[in-house]
């Protein structure tokens, strides 16, 4: 499935698991900025939503509840991801509200959360830069993991071509790697069988290829 189908399923799953204030917060707090982050940054970087939780509810030290834009919880780490806007409500924060926001971040760090923050303008205008930050975060804290996929040098280079273009034809790969279109098509089909790639267009004869589920996993661990 593509982003839209995966996103709708992801959001529906979390709605079905919540009631009361937690559900209201998800419906009202998860808006345009958060969706744009998922589409332009998270999806290209990771390729799926496993372990990611939107509007994550957290109890603070005073017994109240706070919500994180996203929490990515996968042992042994917990990563908080916040998308910060710069609207009138932000510019009009009082000194004490500003102090409270800083203390909120301090509390998370003291509680062993990894805190990653993006400005909305960066997500909108420079998503590739944000994507690289996500990749660096995963590489730093989960770099010793294994994707379970073994690729040879040529397969890794073919995967790099597809990732860099978003979708690639056998001709694109052949030109980038200086091989025949016939050879490129053969190896691309092998990567489809391994679920590293998947068809982007065409059925009997695939014209375009895109990242598959195991390709996204390999990318996450190895940052190809």
């Amino acid at each position: 499935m593509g982003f839209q189908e995966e996103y709708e399923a992801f959001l529906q799953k979390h709605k079905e698991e919540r009631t009361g204030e937690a559900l209201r917060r998800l419906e009202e707090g998860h808006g345009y900025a958060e969706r744009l982050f998922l589409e332009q940054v998270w999806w290209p970087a990771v390729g799926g939503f496993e372990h990611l939780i939107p509007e994550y509810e957290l109890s603070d030290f005073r017994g109240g509840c706070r919500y994180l834009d996203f929490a990515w919880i996968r042992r042994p780490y917990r990563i908080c991801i916040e998308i910060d806007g710069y609207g009138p409500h932000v510019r009009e924060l009082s000194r004490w509200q500003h102090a409270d926001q800083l203390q909120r971040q301090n509390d998370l760090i003291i509680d062993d959360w990894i805190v990653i923050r993006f400005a909305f303008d960066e997500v909108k205008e420079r998503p590739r830069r944000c994507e690289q930050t996500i990749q660096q975060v995963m590489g730093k804290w989960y770099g010793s993991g294994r994707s379970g996929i073994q690729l040879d040098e040529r397969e890794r280079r073919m995967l790099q071509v597809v990732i860099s273009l978003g979708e690639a034809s056998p001709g694109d790969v052949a030109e980038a790697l200086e091989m025949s279109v016939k050879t490129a098509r053969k190896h691309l089909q092998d990567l489809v069988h391994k679920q590293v790639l998947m068809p982007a267009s065409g059925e009997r004869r695939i014209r375009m290829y895109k990242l598959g589920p195991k390709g996204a996993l390999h990318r996450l661990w190895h940052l190809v």
Side-chain angles (χ1 to χ4, degrees):
M1 291 192 295
F3 168 79
Q4 185 61 34
E5 295 84 0
E6 290 279 4
Y7 171 74
E8 290 176 358
F10 163 73
L11 210 55
Q12 185 61 32
K13 170 182 177 294
H14 285 282
K15 286 182 179 180
E16 291 173 354
E17 293 174 350
R18 302 187 190 189
T19 58
E21 178 61 18
L23 176 59
R24 185 196 69 80
R25 178 70 187 208
L26 178 59
E27 292 176 335
E28 297 181 5
H30 182 88
Y32 174 69
E34 290 76 19
R35 185 191 187 283
L36 191 68
F37 167 78
L38 292 180
E39 183 174 14
Q40 295 200 159
V41 178
W42 186 267
W43 180 261
V46 180
F49 301 121
E50 188 176 7
H51 306 295
L52 188 67
I53 306 171
E55 294 299 323
Y56 182 78
E57 184 177 352
L58 195 65
S59 298
D60 63 24
F61 70 98
R62 290 173 294 189
C65 287
R66 296 180 182 266
Y67 290 87
L68 311 180
D69 288 343
F70 297 100
W72 201 69
I73 300 178
R74 184 171 185 177
R75 292 182 179 180
Y77 305 111
R78 298 178 299 173
I79 300 175
C80 161
I81 301 172
E82 294 278 80
I83 316 302
D84 297 320
Y86 190 67
H89 67 287
V90 174
R91 294 192 293 269
E92 294 169 6
L93 284 177
S94 70
R95 291 175 181 267
W96 290 114
Q97 287 171 323
H98 177 62
D100 183 66
Q101 287 193 350
L102 296 179
Q103 186 58 50
R104 174 178 182 262
Q105 178 166 313
N106 291 341
D107 291 341
L108 287 168
I109 294 171
I110 291 169
D111 200 28
D112 294 326
W113 282 82
I114 297 164
V115 180
I116 307 296
R117 302 181 74 169
F118 295 102
F120 170 70
D121 289 342
E122 284 272 278
V123 171
K124 185 178 181 180
E125 303 296 337
R126 292 187 278 189
R128 177 56 181 158
R129 180 174 173 177
C130 301
E131 179 187 340
Q132 289 171 339
T133 298
I134 292 294
Q135 291 174 334
Q136 290 166 354
V137 167
M138 298 304 180
K140 177 177 176 62
W141 281 285
Y142 292 94
S144 60
R146 292 292 181 268
S147 66
I149 305 298
Q150 297 298 320
L151 302 180
D152 61 29
E153 178 62 23
R154 176 161 49 187
E155 289 174 327
R156 285 196 296 272
R157 292 175 63 199
M158 296 179 85
L159 183 56
Q160 287 173 340
V161 173
V162 175
I163 289 172
S164 66
L165 296 177
E167 295 180 2
S169 69
D172 294 328
V173 173
E175 180 179 358
L177 302 188
E178 298 182 347
M179 62 175 62
S180 71
V181 173
K182 181 178 180 181
T183 299
R185 181 173 286 110
K186 175 184 180 301
H187 290 291
L188 287 167
Q189 289 173 344
D190 289 341
L191 290 174
V192 170
H193 291 316
K194 293 180 180 181
Q195 296 184 305
V196 172
L197 298 178
M198 60 191 297
S201 65
E203 296 180 2
R204 292 187 177 182
R205 187 176 183 84
I206 303 172
R207 294 185 293 275
M208 299 292 288
Y209 295 80
K210 63 182 179 181
L211 200 61
K214 292 188 178 179
L217 196 58
H218 189 277
R219 181 187 192 183
L220 172 60
W221 292 124
H222 299 279
L223 306 184
V224 298

